[in-house]
Amino acid sequence: MNGHFAAVDNGNGSSPDSNAHNFEHGIQVINEDKQYNTNLNEYLNETHVAEAGFNYHLISVFGSQSTGKSTLLNHLFGTQFSVMSERERRQTTKGIWMSKNKNEGKMADNILVMDVEGTDGRERGEDQDFERKSALFALATSEVLIVNIWEHQVGLYQGANMGLLKTVFEVNMQLFLKDKQNQTRSLLFFVIRDHIGVTPLANLRNTLIQDLTHIWSSISKPAGLENSKIEDYFDFAFAALPHKILQPDKFISEVQKLGSRFIAGHRNKDSDATDDQELTGGVFLPEYHRRIPADGLSIYAEGIWDQIVSNKDLDLPTQQELLAQFRCDEIAREVQIAFDAAIAPLEEQQAESTRAGKPAVLPDLGQIGAEAREKCVKNFETQASRYHKGVYTTKRAELEDKIDNRLKALYQAHLTAAHKAGVTAFSDAVTNAVKAGQKAGGAYEFAEIVEKQKTKTLEIFKKEAQSLAIPGVAWSNFKPQYLIFEKELDEVSARLRKEEMRRLAIRVERWVKSRLGDAIGLEFNKLGSGRGGSGAPESGEKPATEKDIWDRVWKAFISIVGEAESRFTDRAKSFEASDDEVQVGLWRLRRKSWVALREKIEEEVMESNILMKLRENFEDKFRYDEDGVPRIWRPSDDIEGIYTRARESTLGLVPLLSRFRLTSTSAPPDLIEFVGPQPHGVEPGDEEDLTPIGGVDEDEGKSLEEETTILSEPKKQDLVVRFKKMADGVYVEAKRSAIGGITQ
Ligand code: GDP
Ligand code: MG
């Protein structure tokens, strides 16, 4: 398309390099083939108008061919629009040219001037298609329309330029057809050329206004706008210029005066007049501005021109919405570049660390994220808020959504990492502190360690979560994650406490075993003394008999277990174990203690051990008299009788020892009562390492009778046989010694 356009018609042809446009002489916005030049935006960028927001103005000039329009613009604005050569008098091409005012200083900022060529086709006997299209284009975009007119044409109502004005008025109605709420107006600025001075400007003005009103009443108005008045759409301003050739100096000075009017102005209070006598300051009234941000002007103008060229009804509100959508998307993409530059490396880092299985806690994430977000949204707001409000609001929400989703993902993963790291740190710290406490002799308070580490770990997480908070952004409140983290720490604490309970249980069980070893060993050792079952009865204590060995064993056992239970309870309470946990621990302890007791008894009744005890018991009865004095056997002694009594007495122990029975009930101890019901806090893991107990764990198929049977029937018989053999040996030896005593 570039090929169709000349950057400037300055006789040198267009620049050979189509990428580097020479905009020195402005830009052809619409060419003679009615094509739009998309390089306009480039031109606006080059001239720094694009960055001006609403601080720019657009002026178009209209008028018959060769009325000095381009000459006027070039003098007014320092532009270089092509002027018909005096000598050649050749026809200038059709098209619309644009140039930025180069005489800035005393005039408003960023005035863009459009030189509409080839209008007034009627003058040349052409069809008026281009005239209508360019008029519509100019009206849709320009604040001020300069109508260039010879003085001698004023009052010639049938004159050609009046036809042009008629066109302007008619196409103007089209603009308001779709947009009845449109509040924008335009200024028709009549510049009367070759003013001789005989007729004062005021008279020319009156004549023109009469003509305009006349033309207005003659045009056909669309339905709904039949009663509209010319003042509803237009203000008028007037100026006269002397003959450029005949009065060159005066022409220059008047043009300068005219130029000074291109500044901001306002309407006099309470005035609804349309005449420039009611305007103060310059010609640029805020209500003339089309409110198209400069960086969207090119796109907007293109859309307008497309509609005009394809003869569609010009729908400015829709065009403005389309423009807003296009530009907001563009701006959103632009502002996201900086956001991306700040955030993408963090996303990459996070993804990498997650892949490596070590999710990273990214330093300064909250600050970087909040800053990137704020910048991005602010930049978008600055540029995009100039566009259609509804579109802007939607697009802003879309943008926020997009960047927030990225930040959210980043923050969530970050907190997940912080969560993981925190749990590990907490667990390690507690474990290490416990280890250190154990090393230092076990004087540590588990509950204190947990509390201290929990506070510390929570504080770190809280700081991390708070550092991510963005003021006024609801999703960045991570309190729920904090609460989840706290809950997990409590779970970990419970697990660690359970481990601590296990360690405590093991210590207490060891203690029980060791105490049982001593106490039960002592009771069985007493069997070795066969006289009445009592060794040397301690003073005050009822002499123990062999018959109540199980009562004594059970009593010792109950006392040891009772002491162990209170030790366990005290310690468990100190680290704030729950009642349930304590009950489970005690239940386990009682069961393990019983098993330990059984093991100890089994050790005592192991063949060699029990045989030795029986032998000692027998020998004590056989070899010593009632007073504990060793017997010296004489042939006259009733060795056989003593032997038989001692043997039978000792043999009587075997059935006694073979079953754990209490004398008070002649029954086994009530293990069900001792162990107690299973507490409801028991979890599967709590039972795994427990040995089943007959009569207590019913489904084990082992009865209490079996559980309390110490010597099985075959073992018993075997023991009796062995004992008898042993006793026989002792008897024979005694017999021999008695005979030997006589022969001696
Ligand atoms: P345009 O077609 O309306 O843009 O007119 P130009 O600016 O190309 O000028 C057409 C011719 O009118 C040129 O030969 C100019 O020298 C001449 N011209 C320019 N300004 C004036 C003026 O103020 N008075 C008169 N009489 N001729 C002028
Ligand atoms: Mg011209």
Side-chain angles (χ1 to χ4, degrees):
M1 195 194 241
N2 287 348
H4 296 285
F5 289 96
V8 64
D9 185 10
N10 59 359
N12 299 329
S14 56
S15 162
D17 182 355
S18 62
N19 285 327
H21 295 101
N22 178 6
F23 291 130
E24 208 179 315
H25 302 270
I27 179 169
Q28 191 177 23
V29 181
I30 309 290
N31 70 6
E32 60 276 19
D33 297 324
K34 295 180 191 154
Q35 286 166 320
Y36 182 82
N37 189 349
T38 49
N39 291 326
L40 175 57
N41 202 46
E42 205 184 313
Y43 177 70
L44 296 177
N45 276 316
E46 195 106 317
T47 52
H48 302 287
V49 177
E51 63 215 48
F54 294 124
N55 185 27
Y56 74 97
H57 301 280
L58 200 48
I59 296 175
S60 294
V61 71
F62 275 94
S64 306
Q65 182 72 32
S66 297
T67 46
K69 297 188 296 294
S70 301
T71 306
L72 170 65
L73 296 181
N74 290 346
H75 275 86
L76 263 176
F77 303 111
T79 51
Q80 285 168 276
F81 294 119
S82 86
V83 173
M84 181 189 274
S85 154
E86 301 279 355
R87 286 170 304 254
E88 290 173 36
R89 283 265 150 198
R90 70 179 163 89
Q91 183 79 56
T92 34
T93 52
K94 287 186 196 171
I96 302 177
W97 288 76
M98 182 190 277
S99 181
K100 186 187 170 184
N101 174 24
K102 295 182 184 173
N103 289 343
E104 278 192 343
K106 283 184 186 131
M107 294 195 221
D109 296 338
N110 301 313
I111 298 175
L112 296 171
V113 189
M114 290 207 287
D115 188 6
V116 184
E117 287 183 344
T119 50
D120 202 3
R122 154 190 318 99
E123 202 175 49
R124 296 182 301 211
E126 294 172 5
D127 75 273
Q128 290 150 42
D129 186 55
F130 190 82
E131 175 188 297
R132 290 189 80 85
K133 286 190 160 73
S134 52
L136 194 49
F137 182 71
L139 269 169
T141 55
S142 308
E143 297 155 63
V144 176
L145 296 167
I146 295 177
V147 181
N148 197 52
I149 190 171
W150 299 122
E151 185 188 0
H152 62 76
Q153 286 181 310
V154 175
L156 299 178
Y157 166 60
Q158 299 302 335
N161 52 349
M162 290 298 135
L164 180 62
L165 281 172
K166 196 173 172 194
T167 304
V168 168
F169 291 159
E170 278 169 359
V171 298
N172 179 68
M173 299 306 281
Q174 283 185 33
L175 293 183
F176 291 88
L177 215 52
K178 291 268 178 183
D179 185 15
K180 300 212 166 71
Q181 259 65 60
N182 193 346
Q183 295 294 308
T184 53
R185 302 162 64 82
S186 308
L187 180 71
L188 287 184
F189 197 164
F190 287 88
V191 179
I192 298 157
R193 307 291 292 271
D194 287 1
H195 184 226
I196 301 165
V198 175
T199 317
L201 179 61
N203 294 8
L204 296 171
R205 176 206 316 265
N206 289 340
T207 310
L208 278 170
I209 288 179
Q210 274 172 34
D211 286 354
L212 291 171
T213 314
H214 200 150
I215 295 168
W216 184 262
S217 62
S218 76
I219 63 166
S220 60
K221 298 169 192 74
L225 299 172
E226 296 93 342
N227 297 322
S228 58
K229 292 186 292 245
I230 191 167
E231 308 90 62
D232 295 341
Y233 306 104
F234 294 103
D235 288 330
F236 300 103
F238 302 89
L241 289 177
H243 197 294
K244 182 189 170 246
I245 320 255
L246 302 180
Q247 296 173 280
D249 294 342
K250 207 162 176 244
F251 177 82
I252 298 288
S253 64
E254 285 301 311
V255 166
Q256 248 167 23
K257 255 194 231 161
L258 179 58
S260 68
R261 295 179 69 177
F262 288 89
I263 54 170
H266 58 87
R267 189 180 300 282
N268 287 344
K269 234 175 143 190
D270 302 329
S271 164
D272 56 356
T274 53
D275 200 306
D276 61 346
Q277 289 177 332
E278 300 300 330
L279 309 179
T280 303
V283 296
F284 294 126
L285 264 56
E287 65 216 73
Y288 301 154
H289 206 288
R290 267 34 178 184
R291 308 303 294 169
I292 304 302
D295 57 3
L297 184 60
S298 175
I299 297 289
Y300 179 69
E302 184 179 6
I304 298 278
W305 185 251
D306 278 352
Q307 297 247 306
I308 293 173
V309 161
S310 53
N311 291 315
K312 287 187 187 138
D313 282 345
L314 203 47
D315 181 354
L316 295 187
T318 303
Q319 285 303 315
Q320 281 166 18
E321 262 181 57
L322 289 174
L323 169 71
Q325 276 165 12
F326 183 88
R327 279 295 296 148
C328 284
D329 285 343
E330 226 172 39
I331 294 164
R333 277 196 296 275
E334 280 162 22
V335 299
Q336 276 180 92
I337 292 170
F339 178 83
D340 207 52
I343 298 305
L346 296 176
E347 289 170 328
E348 185 47 42
Q349 198 183 332
Q350 195 173 69
E352 221 160 82
S353 66
T354 306
R355 268 198 299 277
K358 280 185 179 171
V361 178
L362 304 168
D364 301 328
L365 175 61
Q367 200 196 332
I368 296 171
E371 273 174 20
R373 184 187 191 278
E374 153 124 42
K375 247 191 218 155
C376 185
V377 174
K378 261 262 132 42
N379 285 346
F380 183 78
E381 186 188 301
T382 306
Q383 298 179 63
S385 66
R386 297 186 185 120
Y387 290 92
H388 187 277
K389 283 287 164 281
V391 174
Y392 160 69
T393 309
T394 310
K395 294 287 178 184
R396 182 194 160 118
E398 274 174 24
L399 173 69
E400 282 181 350
D401 233 42
K402 214 164 159 188
I403 61 176
D404 281 357
N405 277 338
R406 286 177 67 181
L407 288 182
K408 249 187 254 175
L410 204 53
Y411 286 10
Q412 295 278 12
H414 179 76
L415 282 184
T416 304
H419 179 113
K420 257 188 166 168
V423 168
T424 308
F426 171 72
S427 176
D428 288 353
V430 171
T431 309
N432 288 337
V434 166
K435 267 186 199 151
Q438 282 168 339
K439 234 184 201 170
Y444 63 91
E445 282 305 328
F446 183 77
E448 271 174 29
I449 291 171
V450 166
E451 199 47 46
K452 192 177 144 201
Q453 294 303 332
K454 188 184 160 188
T455 309
K456 198 172 140 193
T457 315
L458 275 178
E459 198 50 47
I460 294 171
F461 189 89
K462 192 179 192 174
K463 262 200 195 132
E464 206 57 66
Q466 282 175 342
S467 78
L468 299 180
I470 304 168
V473 178
W475 66 260
S476 72
N477 179 349
F478 292 106
K479 185 92 191 269
Q481 280 76 0
Y482 173 82
L483 293 177
I484 289 169
F485 180 65
E486 186 175 21
K487 207 174 146 225
E488 170 128 15
L489 286 194
D490 287 341
E491 279 162 22
V492 172
S493 302
R495 212 184 61 227
L496 292 171
R497 193 172 58 233
K498 209 160 181 187
E499 281 169 18
E500 181 66 10
M501 291 271 285
R502 279 289 156 91
R503 281 192 289 271
L504 169 63
I506 287 167
R507 284 203 301 275
V508 175
E509 282 159 22
R510 264 196 219 124
W511 181 85
V512 167
K513 265 188 193 160
S514 142
R515 288 292 308 275
L516 282 178
D518 294 347
I520 307 307
L522 191 70
E523 293 305 332
F524 273 83
N525 283 344
K526 286 177 186 166
L527 287 175
S529 145
R531 278 151 296 117
S534 63
E538 283 163 45
S539 57
E541 201 179 295
K542 199 180 146 205
T545 66
E546 287 162 353
K547 296 215 176 326
D548 63 3
I549 180 168
W550 292 121
D551 297 289
R552 281 177 282 121
V553 164
W554 183 248
K555 195 179 152 203
F557 172 70
I558 290 295
S559 143
I560 289 165
V561 173
E563 199 182 330
E565 283 189 310
S566 69
R567 279 172 172 236
F568 181 87
T569 307
D570 286 354
R571 190 82 181 114
K573 285 262 150 81
S574 85
F575 49 76
E576 286 160 7
S578 69
D579 274 353
D580 274 1
E581 284 170 328
V582 173
Q583 288 313 317
V584 171
L586 291 175
W587 177 74
R588 284 171 50 85
L589 177 62
R590 287 192 296 269
R591 294 186 57 116
K592 291 213 157 190
S593 296
W594 166 255
V595 173
L597 176 63
R598 267 220 55 150
E599 277 168 4
K600 179 61 190 164
I601 292 170
E602 261 155 31
E603 186 194 315
E604 289 293 338
V605 301
M606 256 166 42
E607 202 169 277
S608 52
N609 287 345
I610 193 66
L611 199 60
M612 205 169 76
K613 295 270 155 59
L614 291 180
R615 181 193 175 130
E616 279 170 11
N617 183 278
F618 164 74
E619 285 191 347
D620 210 30
K621 287 170 176 165
F622 180 61
R623 286 207 180 136
Y624 298 83
D625 64 16
E626 280 72 23
D627 302 318
V629 180
R631 296 185 212 267
I632 308 291
W633 299 109
R634 293 165 208 288
S636 56
D637 287 341
D638 179 16
I639 300 176
E640 200 174 332
I642 295 169
Y643 159 71
T644 307
R645 278 195 301 278
R647 193 191 64 181
E648 290 313 306
S649 169
T650 299
L651 274 176
L653 286 176
V654 174
L656 176 75
L657 289 175
S658 64
R659 295 162 87 214
F660 199 136
R661 290 287 181 280
L662 299 176
T663 49
S664 57
T665 55
S666 305
D670 191 345
L671 289 186
I672 293 179
E673 199 204 323
F674 167 72
V675 169
Q678 175 173 315
H680 51 72
V682 172
E683 290 163 21
D686 292 328
E687 288 186 294
E688 257 167 24
D689 60 338
L690 293 177
T691 311
I693 299 173
V696 174
D697 304 312
E698 279 150 18
D699 45 351
E700 288 298 324
K702 193 176 164 196
S703 65
L704 182 62
E705 188 63 39
E706 285 167 286
E707 181 73 27
T708 54
T709 296
I710 307 302
L711 292 170
S712 63
E713 203 54 37
K715 255 191 168 172
K716 225 163 78 184
Q717 283 170 16
D718 186 52
L719 186 62
V720 167
V721 171
R722 278 165 180 265
F723 170 72
K724 277 183 176 168
K725 255 188 211 160
M726 188 272 298
D728 286 353
V730 173
Y731 169 72
V732 170
E733 193 191 317
K735 237 356 193 187
R736 267 203 205 112
S737 81
I739 295 162
I742 290 165
T743 49
Q744 234 170 13

